[in-house]
Amino acid sequence: MRTIDWATGTAGLDAGGPDTAGVAGFDAAGWIELVDQTALPGELRILRIGTVAELVAAIRSLAVRGAPALGVAGAFGVALAARQFAGDPAGLAAAVHEIETARPTAVNLARGARRAAALLPAGAHAVLREAYAVRDEEIASSEAMAVRGADLVSDLCGTRPRLLTHCNTGGLCTVTVGTALGVVGELHRRGALAGVIASETRPLLQGARLTAWELARWGVDFRVAVDSAGPFLMARGEVDAVILGADRICANGDVINKIGTYAHALGARRAGLPFLVVAPESTVDPDTPDGAAVDIEDRGAAEVTTLSDAVNPAFDVTPHDLVTAIVTDRRVIRLDRGERP
Ligand code: MRU
């Protein structure tokens, strides 16, 4: 991961390991540093974000993406805003709102920004401290989920399962380790994983570009499949469990995640496979009763095709009755046994 020494402002980049950061931190000069996920896998490029407008653009373009990374970026964004709009309360309030609403679906973004914004009356340093707390909690959550999730996968699937995952849920979308992909990494380290199928994740290929890049760095045996192949591969007996992340988990257990998740859940149910969602508690939203209440981002036609009109919802809703278990940093919620978040 990219590490920042807050005292000196120096940064170091560790080129190896499973922990490349989606968001590294806030350096002494007041920049947010993050991996530009639009440039991968071709280039490992670090973006230095110096203004709220740059951060909002990075969020909208998916240079920084994935629910936990968005929460951390939102919190650091408010720290940035506190400096940029010092002495301009109206400008500051507008900037915080811009950050919170840069993307609508992952609850973490608004949550991270609001947590940091609550400290604004205490001054810019207090806001920055809170942003670091948000980041550090995400790191701890990732580590806890990896262990808890790996234990559950081994319990449910026995030794060396073959897992199917969707979108990207590794260190890129958190700060280190990841959510569902963190579980994959932990199983790999334990020698308890046969291999992974990464669905490519149309239209922006978070699976084919980002998950494949992370799995290759970790030395995990993997293959990329087109999204629509998932249910067929499950039916053909090539998958032992589906494991993926979430952008929001509703009070009733409905799971909002990257478009294509619902189809994988249906395929898993049909094939009788566990369907596991790994997400931090910061993604569980008791204020959203169910999937119907969520603003599903529509990213417009251009990402799908420039040749004709298109519909491009970025997320979908997986009904809770298709989910076996939700693994968070504190709990295993067995939806299949009637438990709820
Ligand atoms: O549009 P994205 O790439 O931000 O969507 C990300 C996902 O859907 C991830 O699966 C989700 O954020 C979980 S990451 C822990």
Side-chain angles (χ1 to χ4, degrees):
M1 78 173 273
R2 191 163 173 80
T3 50
I4 306 292
D5 181 334
W6 169 240
T8 63
T10 55
L13 186 63
D14 170 9
D19 52 353
T20 297
V23 187
F26 195 93
D27 76 6
W31 300 75
I32 300 170
E33 301 213 329
L34 46 88
V35 172
D36 181 354
Q37 298 188 45
T38 64
L40 288 169
E43 188 188 345
L44 179 53
R45 180 197 300 158
I46 304 300
L47 278 184
R48 297 188 86 210
I49 303 281
T51 66
V52 169
E54 286 170 13
L55 178 65
V56 168
I59 291 171
R60 292 202 175 123
S61 70
L62 273 52
V64 57
R65 51 148 294 282
L70 288 173
V72 177
F76 279 123
V78 174
L80 199 64
R83 290 189 187 197
Q84 192 183 338
F85 295 95
D88 174 7
L92 179 55
V96 170
H97 181 72
E98 272 274 287
I99 294 165
E100 275 179 23
T101 55
R103 291 186 75 193
T105 305
V107 68
N108 303 62
L109 175 61
R111 253 196 192 159
R114 283 183 196 143
R115 245 185 88 172
L119 272 292
L120 281 168
H125 267 91
V127 174
L128 185 56
R129 267 197 304 278
E130 188 68 3
Y132 270 100
V134 171
R135 184 194 72 164
D136 292 346
E137 285 169 30
E138 286 302 347
I139 293 172
S141 292
S142 278
E143 289 167 355
M145 285 182 286
V147 172
R148 178 170 286 121
D151 290 348
L152 182 66
V153 169
S154 296
D155 281 355
L156 293 173
C157 305
T159 49
R160 295 182 53 76
R162 302 154 302 168
L163 302 178
L164 183 140
T165 192
H166 187 59
C167 198
N168 170 263
T169 61
L172 289 167
C173 86
T174 54
V175 181
T176 63
V177 179
T179 60
L181 216 60
V183 173
V184 166
E186 176 66 17
L187 288 165
H188 175 63
R189 270 187 296 282
R190 294 179 185 181
L193 177 73
V196 173
I197 292 172
S199 57
E200 62 178 355
T201 318
R202 282 284 292 150
L204 292 177
L205 301 176
Q206 287 93 330
R209 291 188 303 110
L210 306 176
T211 299
W213 183 77
E214 291 196 270
L215 291 174
R217 283 160 60 95
W218 303 355
V220 172
D221 193 7
F222 75 94
R223 292 175 293 163
V224 172
V226 297
D227 295 346
S228 51
F232 176 64
L233 294 171
M234 294 177 216
R236 210 163 66 172
E238 297 190 28
V239 176
D240 297 310
V242 176
I243 188 163
L244 36 68
D247 287 83
R248 189 182 298 241
I249 294 171
C250 306
N252 75 339
D254 285 353
V255 170
I256 316 303
N257 192 49
K258 178 55 53 191
I259 190 79
T261 299
Y262 183 20
H264 288 324
L266 289 169
R269 173 58 54 90
R270 173 79 185 191
L273 300 178
F275 182 83
L276 303 173
V277 176
V278 184
E281 290 284 341
S282 56
T283 301
V284 179
D285 182 13
D287 297 330
T288 300
D290 55 32
V294 177
D295 182 358
I296 300 289
E297 178 181 15
D298 185 326
R299 293 189 56 84
E303 282 175 0
V304 179
T305 174
T306 53
L307 298 178
S308 66
D309 197 12
V311 59
N312 182 16
F315 301 92
D316 64 22
V317 181
T318 298
H320 54 84
D321 58 297
L322 293 177
V323 179
T324 308
I326 291 170
V327 180
T328 79
D329 42 308
R330 289 206 300 269
R331 304 178 280 168
V332 172
I333 309 161
R334 292 295 298 253
L335 300 194
D336 61 345
R337 295 179 185 159
E339 294 175 10
R340 292 293 176 263

